[in-house]
């Protein structure tokens, strides 16, 4: 298959969020290693903030992964440095989506210029596969969210009013606001047009790629395949390996971790694009303080709204926790931290990439979902026994008492021991599988490209 892929080129087109860019980039690396020529298309701001540095680190991909700039129109309040979700103030997200969709004609020109053998696109921009198919370029959807959430959403559209057939996957009462919004959105589009994700899936040429692996979410992938009538192929966890640059640039973090005992520390992060409210920061701080365990906590603020950590946290918090805790602003080498032997738990918002990263390194999850797909992902973590969930108050707020109790249970309790063993077992399975999923993906993509080439030759004759 590698010989057949050596003359094939793929244009990859992710949405502008880190949780989408990162798996697209890792898939690009895997395919480039198997002799595909890859064009990775995004805005200059996204390429600078999320791609260029990673590509310059380690193996040289400059010949096999070429970066293609997509320029968006400059709209009011959205200068070019805001053409990425990285640090984007939440109120500007609709404006960014509008500008992105307005860049469709620019993307069409890129397609016509490059003439790739295949487009791998993100479901969030269904206009991209339309543009490719119009000029006889096959298109494959790559879904970066979980099979369980995608199946849950597809089921809600295809079977309105019917319960999801897996009773461990649900929204809690305090998450009902988002659940209702999802149902209303699906209902609203039923007789007009399908929402972007479902529309994007429908245009995929026979195959849909999705991030995950069988032992984690295989039954939901099979259910999704039955719902959409397409072959849904797992690409594996697609977790970037820690790098030497991570260690060199973050040596203070690594030195601090090296002083901690094995599995004595929790890592706390709520993703690259979720910004905690003042109330949530307070509750999390008190929960960590009272847990009496070591912690390393990453806090993020929107661009232009950064606070001093002393102001963002309860008065005297940093002094009281002393060397037991490290609080970082902005970014941290998550894979490097999770792979460290001192980490014994991950207080996570349950973004899909974070879950897969945690399980790859055998770190159990202290699930603290906030919104969107995160509650559904958190239920999956509980179902497979790889984490414990922090239950919230009846109105959906984080409670420091419940956070403290769950951290202690994970780090020292009997149930925590069972969960730690399961997380380790899943990590071993990921290691044993190796490149099994990617090899199947390569086979599917090569066959798709070859069929399309043969069809073109047939039409010429």
């Amino acid at each position: 298959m590698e010989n057949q892929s050596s003359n094939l080129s793929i244009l990859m087109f992710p949405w502008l969020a880190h949780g989408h860019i990162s798996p697209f980039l890792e898939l690009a690396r895997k395919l480039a290693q198997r002799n595909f020529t890859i064009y990775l298309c995004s805005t200059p701001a996204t390429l600078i903030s999320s791609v260029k540095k990673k590509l310059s680190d380690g193996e040289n991909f400059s010949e096999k992964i070429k970066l293609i700039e997509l320029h968006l129109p400059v709209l009011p309040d959205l200068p070019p440095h805001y053409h990425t979700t990285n640090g984007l103030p939440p109120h500007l997200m609709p404006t960014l989506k509008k500008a992105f969709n307005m860049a469709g004609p620019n993307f069409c020109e890129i397609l016509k210029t490059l003439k790739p053998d295949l487009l791998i696109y993100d479901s969030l921009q269904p206009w991209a596969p339309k543009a490719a198919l119009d000029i006889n370029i096959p298109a494959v959807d790559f879904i970066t969210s979980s099979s369980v959430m995608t199946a849950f959403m597809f089921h809600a559209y295809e079977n309105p009013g019917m319960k999801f057939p897996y009773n461990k996957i649900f929204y809690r009462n305090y998450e009902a606001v988002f659940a209702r919004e999802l149902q209303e959105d699906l209902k609203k589009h039923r007789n007009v047009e399908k929402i972007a994700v479902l529309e994007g899936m429908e245009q995929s040429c026979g195959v849909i790629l999705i991030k995950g692996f069988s032992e984690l979410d295989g039954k939901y992938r099979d259910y999704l395949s039955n719902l959409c009538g397409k072959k849904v192929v797992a690409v594996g966890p697609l977790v970037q390996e820690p790098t030497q640059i991570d260690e060199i640039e973050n040596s203070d973090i690594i030195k601090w971790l090296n002083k901690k005992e094995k599995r004595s520390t929790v890592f706390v992060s709520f993703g690259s694009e979720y910004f905690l409210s003042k109330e949530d920061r307070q509750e999390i701080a008190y929960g960590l303080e009272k847990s009496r365990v070591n912690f390393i906590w990453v806090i993020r603020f929107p661009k232009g709204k950064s606070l001093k950590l002393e102001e963002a946290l309860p008065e005297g918090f940093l002094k009281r926790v002393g060397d037991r805790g490290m609080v970082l602003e902005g970014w941290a080498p998550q894979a490097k931290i999770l792979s460290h032997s001192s980490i014994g738990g991950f207080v996570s918002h349950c973004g899909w990439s974070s879950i897969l990263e945690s399980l790859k390194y055998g770190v159990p999850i202290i699930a603290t979902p906030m919104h969107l797909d995160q509650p559904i992902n958190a239920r999956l973590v509980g179902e497979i026994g790889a984490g414990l969930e922090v239950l919230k108050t009846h109105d959906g707020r984080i409670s420091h008492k419940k956070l403290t109790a769950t951290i202690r249970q994970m780090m020292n309790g009997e149930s925590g021991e069972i969960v730690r063993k399961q997380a380790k077992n899943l990590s071993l399975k990921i290691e044993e599988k190796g490149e099994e999923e990617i090899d199947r993906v390569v086979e599917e993509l090569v066959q798709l490209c070859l069929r399309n080439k043969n069809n073109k030759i047939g039409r010429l004759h």
Side-chain angles (χ1 to χ4, degrees), residues 406-454:
T406 310
I407 290 174
R408 286 180 175 173
Q409 190 180 3
M410 176 67 80
M411 303 299 280
N412 304 308
E414 226 174 278
S415 57
E417 179 62 27
I418 296 170
V419 168
R420 289 195 294 275
K421 285 181 180 178
Q422 175 62 353
K424 183 64 176 175
N425 287 339
L426 287 168
S427 176
L428 291 173
K429 285 178 180 177
I430 291 172
E431 188 176 351
E432 287 168 6
K433 288 169 78 74
E435 302 286 277
E436 183 182 309
E437 288 103 350
I438 288 295
D439 290 339
R440 186 184 172 198
V441 167
V442 168
E443 185 176 342
E444 294 286 351
L445 298 185
V446 167
Q447 292 301 327
L448 177 60
C449 290
L450 292 180
R451 282 197 301 271
N452 189 61
K453 282 190 172 185
N454 290 335

Side-chain angles (χ1 to χ4, degrees), residues 219-267:
K219 68 181 180 183
Y220 299 109
R221 192 169 66 251
D222 292 342
Y223 183 60
L224 175 61
S225 182
N226 289 333
L227 284 172
C228 68
K230 296 179 187 287
K231 189 184 293 185
V232 181
V233 181
V235 299
L238 291 184
V239 173
Q240 184 184 7
E241 298 291 337
T243 66
Q244 287 186 335
I245 286 182
D246 283 340
E247 185 152 6
I248 292 168
E249 291 189 351
N250 300 279
S251 58
D252 289 344
I253 299 172
I254 306 306
K255 286 177 183 175
W256 184 87
L257 286 169
N258 287 342
K259 295 175 184 176
K260 307 305 176 189
E261 293 181 9
K262 191 174 182 180
R263 294 193 303 273
S264 67
T265 307
V266 294
F267 177 54

